[in-house]
Amino acid sequence: MKIVMAVIKPFKLEEVRDALTALGVHGLTVTEVKGYGRQKGHTEIYRGAEYAVSFLPKIKIEVAVSADLVASAVEAIANAARTGQIGDGKIFVVPLEKAVRIRTGETDGDAL
Ligand SMILES: Nc1ncnc2c1ncn2[C@@H]1O[C@H](COP(=O)(O)OP(=O)(O)OP(=O)(O)O)[C@@H](O)[C@H]1O
Ligand SMILES: [Mg+2]
């Protein structure tokens, strides 16, 4: 199992969620975050307004997936989140040791 963590442009959230749902992903955690990439200190457009500051609003998505879904989840997120402009975001894949579905006690693949 892996955690696929992605930082994306906020307006891309619905598209990314739809793409993951189409793959059979059943759950998702979303956090409002701020960050910057390589253009730190440079201007990037966010909802028509220019931000001359280093930190820009982003959405972080975390999804736990079984090993067989990792590649397709990464591809789905990348395709859905891409605009081709700077600031499209990044995807990180992190090992996941254990998962527990609290209500049922199911673990690992059964818990996702
Ligand atoms: N090395 C990193 N570690 C952690 N988070 C990062 C890293 N790089 C980017 N991020 C996060 O991803 C967001 C989007 O990054 P961004 O897409 O601007 O990366 P980039 O490398 O500058 O690519 P681009 O040139 O396409 O803009 C950042 O605001 C930050 O939250
Ligand atoms: Mg950037």
Side-chain angles (χ1 to χ4, degrees), residues 9 12 14 31 54 59 62-63 65 76-78 84 89 93 95 98 102 106 108:
K9 291 181 170 172
K12 281 293 193 175
E14 291 307 309
T31 315
S54 295
I59 290 284
E62 289 161 299
V63 55
V65 293
I77 293 169
V93 179
K98 190 172 179 68
I102 292 175
E106 291 165 286
D108 298 342

Side-chain angles (χ1 to χ4, degrees), residues 7 34-39 44 58 85-90 92:
V7 182
K34 292 179 183 176
Y36 61 82
R38 296 184 188 207
Q39 295 83 13
E44 187 181 313
K58 299 287 176 182
Q85 305 299 309
I86 61 170
D88 271 353
K90 288 199 180 155
F92 306 105

Side-chain angles (χ1 to χ4, degrees), residues 10-89:
F11 77 94
K12 281 293 193 175
L13 175 59
E14 291 307 309
E15 245 178 285
V16 168
R17 189 193 56 174
D18 290 347
L20 288 170
T21 301
L23 287 180
V25 168
H26 296 124
L28 194 63
T29 299
V30 170
T31 315
E32 293 180 8
V33 296
K34 292 179 183 176
Y36 61 82
R38 296 184 188 207
Q39 295 83 13
K40 51 177 170 287
H42 288 228
T43 301
E44 187 181 313
I45 304 292
Y46 172 74
R47 291 198 170 173
E50 284 195 7
Y51 280 67
V53 296
S54 295
F55 290 102
L56 289 166
K58 299 287 176 182
I59 290 284
K60 183 171 78 175
I61 289 170
E62 289 161 299
V63 55
V65 293
S66 54
D68 59 322
L69 262 183
V70 174
S72 47
V74 169
E75 192 185 356
I77 293 169
N79 288 337
R82 186 178 299 113
T83 69
Q85 305 299 309
I86 61 170
D88 271 353

